[in-house]
Amino acid sequence: MSYVRGLAVAARDAQAAIASADGATRRRLLQSMAEQLRAGQAAILAANADDLAQAAANGASKATLDRLGLDPERVQGMAEALREVAAQADPLGEVTRREVRPNGIVVERQRIPLGLVAMIYEARPNVTAEAAALCLKAGNAVLLRGGSEAARSNAAIAACLHAALRELGLPEAAVSLVADTAREHVLELLQLADLIDLAIPRGGESLIRFVAEHARVPVIKHYKGVCHLYVDRAAGIDTAIGLLIDGKASRPGVCNALETVLVHRDIAAAFLPRALAELHARGVEVRGDAVTRAFDAGALAATEDDYAAEFLDLVIAARVVDSLDEAIAHIRRHGSDHTEVIATEDPAAADAFVRAIRSSAVMVNASSRFNDGGQLGLGAEIGISTTRLHAYGPMGVESLTIERFVVRGTGQVRHPR
Amino acid sequence: MSYVRGLAVAARDAQAAIASADGATRRRLLQSMAEQLRAGQAAILAANADDLAQAAANGASKATLDRLGLDPERVQGMAEALREVAAQADPLGEVTRREVRPNGIVVERQRIPLGLVAMIYEARPNVTAEAAALCLKAGNAVLLRGGSEAARSNAAIAACLHAALRELGLPEAAVSLVADTAREHVLELLQLADLIDLAIPRGGESLIRFVAEHARVPVIKHYKGVCHLYVDRAAGIDTAIGLLIDGKASRPGVCNALETVLVHRDIAAAFLPRALAELHARGVEVRGDAVTRAFDAGALAATEDDYAAEFLDLVIAARVVDSLDEAIAHIRRHGSDHTEVIATEDPAAADAFVRAIRSSAVMVNASSRFNDGGQLGLGAEIGISTTRLHAYGPMGVESLTIERFVVRGTGQVRHPR
């Protein structure tokens, strides 16, 4: 049996023990994982220092080093995230629907684990702990394949998680690290459709495209966030300005940041001069259409590519539209099904926007930055889906379960003799 | 643009009109489709007669001819199925959850359509009408690629569906038939991940493996049903006999028929002689282990392959086990995650079985034959999933939707200035 298949078989076999542990045991397991991370902090930081030195020597970018680096505060943050997941309600066994059929059989829908989840991610050691916690909370086993730059950090974190599993008498293989990060092992892992129930890639667009292109296992993915703010003719100007600045300038490098603002022609003169001044004051580069640029000599001309871009930077595209329908058509053409916002005081406009837009999150007078598992009340998130299948939007613990049918009868048959 | 991409783009564009039609309009559309099928019956039967003649000339099997053939009763049945789907509650717009967050934003989960669904199926003309109805009910467009043997029948049925779409002022392309059934078009269709949200193959295992192997679009599938009946030591004998005969003999060619019976050793002497006699009386061939055969000189010896087989015929594998755990281990090893049944009067044994089994349907004292959308209360079904992602078990209208987030605020931002 190959290296990766051996890991997957062991993890799948271990999953039965996690699934049959009761909710209190899985809660204690996650609490113990948090304690082990605190206790292991020195070892984790030492391993991380080695990873950082190696990565720096290999010429890693500042962004990579920032994602890779841990400090006591970040390790405590990981432990705290695990405690929060531990505290959530047990998703397993929940009966979501119940119906008595005319023949007397009782049909229930009940949540069970997905089974074995494979996480494929870049050099973010915190994902190792948080993904494991979310998977275990939902009764799953997890295969963790993090970036090679974080190999030592991930091994140190996994050692803490394994200590907690041992403490609870549960099999360590329920959290299995793919320690050999050679690319051929990822390719093989993505073929194990008989063992792996779901693969979740987390990282840049190229990683996600690689996984999507090579996977025979089901994949839930999220390529990018080209998020729009539409400022309706009936928008409150202060509200619209607040949504624009929060959406673009509070953290431009994340997927729920705004990339394009669309402004109704009737409100352009009232909104744009102030909006553009606020953006410039925060160092945001504006790339606009001719109407926008008439309000702002400093704005560059927007190209078609700008309207499809995820800038991940202090840059925003702007366009003045003649109607709500034109805004919707623009979003349909250029959007990424992530997050779209309308600023309006007109309930009919808000309803029309919500009906017509089919992104994973639609916000009425609320910031795009709220499209986040924590902000939307899911607790931690294992990823975000912009694919309309299984989950759409941030994925919490519940997204790591599936509903099955349980039928209870008293001997009913379909064709009585 | 290629033939298939052209069809998919037109269907995707038409989907917006279906999604924005209100529930009453979509209901009238399905009722009109049923009426058009009744009105078009003569044309459909004439086309079907041509298909049958061609298939017979090509040496098609009796089973294929049976699935392909239509008569007035079957056409009326299709129309009736459409009326039943029409009568179901509108799944769109339903708010499944609602929460007010501490900052005052209101977070709703709301059902929206998946988008564009591709059905890939064999020579079953009824699927053309029923899949279209289920997809449209849930606000989706559908690409229909049926077997080439049914090409004329499918075109005649699609003409009726298009007449209904025209009557309601909706775009015909919402139901798009891939009339050119050349295999390269299916292969291309399965690559259109930018246009197709879900592919559902329906047919034999080889069709489903072909789709799963070549698809870059998401696929929900169901390979086979190796369904088990476990007769617990505390089973009611009459109940167990009833479940066995209904499960194996009422319709052996379907996926929710039983393939294996597992019998607790303590009840074997009370159960097996009568069970085996009842099976033989219905012409069922038994392939058993040594203990089973000791009760029945007529039984053949079961091989390992027999325990993994979907016989789809009047054949059943039998085995005597020492415990509930041994039954569960057998099912884990040989099952297909479809349907498993326990006959027992012991609530603790029932609970242990339900907890340990992770198939899409688990039945306690109820027949495996109830694993069917209609029987479980879903109305019609578009397929069945044995993959633990998105849907698990029979898939009704609701399985053709996804929940997204709608957030309503009064200007809330994540980082107030």
Side-chain angles (χ1 to χ4, degrees):
Chain A
M1 197 182 294
S2 73
Y3 166 66
V4 163
R5 176 167 282 275
L7 285 175
V9 166
R12 186 205 51 186
D13 290 349
Q15 191 259 328
I18 305 298
S20 62
D22 62 18
T25 302
R26 278 178 280 110
R27 176 169 297 188
R28 280 205 306 280
L29 171 62
L30 268 58
Q31 289 165 342
S32 169
M33 283 165 53
E35 283 155 26
Q36 293 288 350
L37 284 179
R38 285 174 199 267
Q41 179 174 306
I44 293 169
L45 292 178
N48 188 246
D50 289 347
D51 278 338
L52 280 170
Q54 177 84 58
N58 292 346
S61 70
K62 190 169 165 299
T64 298
L65 294 174
D66 178 57
R67 284 195 294 266
L68 174 57
L70 295 175
D71 57 25
E73 195 187 343
R74 283 192 175 181
V75 175
Q76 299 305 313
M78 270 193 259
E80 193 44 48
L82 265 52
R83 285 190 185 284
E84 283 175 19
V85 177
Q88 289 187 36
D90 181 12
L92 297 186
E94 183 194 347
V95 173
T96 57
R97 269 169 286 191
R98 191 187 146 100
E99 185 189 358
V100 183
R101 300 288 303 158
N103 62 1
I105 59 171
V106 180
V107 179
E108 292 179 350
R109 304 285 287 268
Q110 189 191 53
R111 281 193 200 290
I112 62 169
L114 295 181
L116 177 56
V117 177
M119 288 294 299
I120 298 153
Y121 52 106
E122 294 173 344
R124 289 177 177 267
N126 62 307
V127 172
T128 304
E130 291 166 20
L134 287 160
C135 287
L136 294 169
K137 178 78 182 179
N140 301 291
V142 65
L143 272 179
L144 296 162
R145 197 286 191 182
S148 55
E149 301 90 338
R152 297 177 189 84
S153 311
N154 288 338
I157 292 167
C160 296
L161 308 182
H162 289 158
L165 283 158
R166 281 198 305 275
E167 192 182 320
L168 274 290
L170 292 165
E172 290 182 28
V175 175
S176 287
L177 196 64
V178 183
D180 181 344
T181 57
R183 180 162 273 216
E184 69 247 37
H185 296 318
V186 185
L187 279 169
E188 187 189 348
L189 185 155
L190 293 172
Q191 308 310 310
L192 301 178
D194 57 327
L195 294 168
I196 293 174
D197 295 287
L198 173 63
I200 303 177
R202 268 180 74 172
E205 194 173 343
S206 64
L207 170 75
I208 296 166
R209 294 216 177 268
F210 175 83
V211 169
E213 195 173 312
H214 292 97
R216 289 258 59 86
V217 303
V219 175
I220 292 185
K221 57 191 177 284
H222 154 226
Y223 287 123
K224 58 181 180 174
V226 180
C227 305
H228 296 78
L229 166 64
Y230 166 59
V231 181
D232 185 48
R233 67 197 297 179
I237 300 282
D238 286 347
T239 290
I241 297 278
L243 299 177
L244 175 67
I245 299 306
D246 194 59
K248 182 70 256 183
S250 67
R251 205 173 164 200
V254 293
C255 61
N256 59 17
L258 291 176
E259 307 298 350
T260 297
V261 57
L262 302 168
V263 182
H264 194 287
R265 186 175 297 274
D266 294 353
I267 205 169
F271 172 75
L272 273 177
R274 200 178 133 198
L276 295 165
E278 297 255 15
L279 288 169
H280 288 312
R282 285 164 182 81
V284 178
E285 178 183 313
V286 177
R287 302 184 187 172
D289 65 342
V291 185
T292 304
R293 280 180 292 131
F295 288 102
D296 179 8
L300 303 172
T303 64
E304 277 293 292
D305 284 352
D306 286 329
Y307 290 125
E310 186 183 30
F311 297 114
L312 296 172
D313 203 348
L314 287 172
V315 179
I316 194 165
R319 189 179 157 202
V320 173
V321 294
D322 288 338
S323 64
L324 173 68
D325 285 346
E326 198 181 322
I328 289 166
H330 179 103
I331 292 168
R332 285 235 169 118
R333 178 161 178 196
H334 297 290
S336 62
D337 285 341
H338 196 292
T339 311
E340 326 302 343
V341 183
I342 183 172
T344 188
E345 303 300 316
D346 174 3
D351 286 353
F353 188 82
V354 169
R355 268 203 310 276
I357 295 295
R358 56 181 209 164
S359 300
S360 69
V362 185
M363 313 289 188
V364 178
N365 296 326
S367 174
S368 63
R369 299 289 327 286
F370 290 127
N371 189 357
D372 166 277
Q375 296 293 322
L376 295 179
L378 305 184
E381 69 182 41
I382 198 161
I384 187 166
S385 167
T386 54
T387 317
R388 279 183 300 280
L389 201 74
H390 186 70
Y392 197 35
M395 296 171 63
V397 167
E398 196 180 287
S399 298
L400 295 168
T401 67
I402 186 82
E403 290 178 41
R404 57 104 176 248
F405 291 86
V406 177
V407 177
R408 295 174 207 272
T410 52
Q412 285 89 342
V413 297
R414 188 140 164 200
H415 297 282
R417 290 179 288 166
Chain B
M1 197 182 295
S2 72
Y3 166 66
V4 164
R5 176 168 282 275
L7 285 175
V9 166
R12 185 204 54 186
D13 290 350
Q15 189 259 329
I18 305 300
S20 63
D22 61 19
T25 302
R26 277 178 281 112
R27 175 169 295 187
R28 281 205 306 279
L29 171 63
L30 267 58
Q31 289 166 342
S32 169
M33 282 165 55
E35 283 155 26
Q36 294 288 349
L37 284 179
R38 285 173 198 268
Q41 179 174 304
I44 293 169
L45 292 177
N48 187 248
D50 288 348
D51 278 338
L52 280 169
Q54 177 84 57
N58 292 347
S61 71
K62 190 169 164 301
T64 298
L65 293 173
D66 178 59
R67 284 195 294 267
L68 175 58
L70 294 174
D71 57 25
E73 195 185 345
R74 284 192 174 184
V75 175
Q76 299 304 315
M78 271 193 260
E80 193 45 48
L82 265 52
R83 286 189 186 284
E84 283 174 19
V85 177
Q88 288 187 35
D90 182 10
L92 297 186
E94 184 193 348
V95 173
T96 57
R97 268 168 287 191
R98 190 186 145 108
E99 184 189 359
V100 182
R101 300 289 301 158
N103 62 0
I105 60 172
V106 181
V107 178
E108 292 179 353
R109 305 285 287 268
Q110 189 192 53
R111 281 194 200 290
I112 61 169
L114 294 182
L116 176 56
V117 177
M119 289 295 300
I120 297 154
Y121 52 106
E122 294 174 342
R124 289 177 177 268
N126 62 309
V127 172
T128 305
E130 290 167 20
L134 287 161
C135 287
L136 293 169
K137 179 78 181 180
N140 301 291
V142 65
L143 272 178
L144 296 162
R145 198 286 191 183
S148 55
E149 303 89 338
R152 297 176 189 85
S153 311
N154 288 338
I157 292 167
C160 296
L161 308 183
H162 288 157
L165 283 159
R166 280 198 304 276
E167 192 182 319
L168 275 287
L170 291 165
E172 291 181 29
V175 176
S176 287
L177 196 65
V178 183
D180 181 343
T181 56
R183 180 162 271 217
E184 70 246 37
H185 296 319
V186 186
L187 280 170
E188 188 189 347
L189 184 155
L190 293 172
Q191 308 311 310
L192 302 178
D194 57 327
L195 294 167
I196 293 173
D197 294 288
L198 174 64
I200 304 177
R202 268 180 75 169
E205 194 173 344
S206 63
L207 170 75
I208 295 166
R209 294 217 177 266
F210 175 82
V211 169
E213 196 173 309
H214 292 97
R216 287 257 59 84
V217 303
V219 176
I220 291 185
K221 57 191 177 285
H222 154 227
Y223 288 122
K224 57 181 181 175
V226 180
C227 306
H228 296 77
L229 166 64
Y230 166 60
V231 181
D232 185 49
R233 67 197 298 179
I237 300 281
D238 286 345
T239 290
I241 298 279
L243 299 177
L244 175 67
I245 300 306
D246 193 59
K248 182 70 257 182
S250 67
R251 205 173 164 201
V254 293
C255 60
N256 59 17
L258 290 176
E259 307 298 349
T260 297
V261 58
L262 302 169
V263 182
H264 194 287
R265 184 175 299 274
D266 293 354
I267 205 169
F271 172 75
L272 272 176
R274 198 177 136 199
L276 294 165
E278 297 256 15
L279 287 169
H280 288 312
R282 285 164 183 82
V284 178
E285 176 182 313
V286 177
R287 302 184 188 173
D289 66 344
V291 185
T292 304
R293 279 179 292 133
F295 289 100
D296 180 8
L300 303 173
T303 64
E304 277 295 291
D305 284 353
D306 286 330
Y307 289 125
E310 186 183 30
F311 298 114
L312 295 173
D313 203 349
L314 287 172
V315 179
I316 193 164
R319 188 178 157 204
V320 173
V321 294
D322 288 338
S323 64
L324 174 68
D325 285 346
E326 197 180 322
I328 289 166
H330 179 104
I331 292 168
R332 283 234 171 119
R333 178 161 177 197
H334 297 291
S336 63
D337 285 342
H338 197 292
T339 311
E340 326 303 342
V341 182
I342 183 173
T344 188
E345 303 300 317
D346 174 3
D351 285 353
F353 188 81
V354 169
R355 267 203 311 276
I357 295 295
R358 58 180 208 164
S359 300
S360 70
V362 185
M363 312 288 188
V364 178
N365 295 326
S367 174
S368 63
R369 301 287 329 288
F370 290 127
N371 189 358
D372 167 277
Q375 296 292 323
L376 295 179
L378 304 184
E381 70 182 38
I382 197 159
I384 187 164
S385 167
T386 55
T387 318
R388 280 182 301 281
L389 201 74
H390 185 72
Y392 197 35
M395 296 171 62
V397 167
E398 197 179 286
S399 297
L400 296 168
T401 67
I402 186 81
E403 291 179 40
R404 56 102 177 247
F405 291 87
V406 177
V407 177
R408 294 174 208 272
T410 53
Q412 285 89 342
V413 297
R414 189 139 164 203
H415 296 283
R417 289 179 291 165

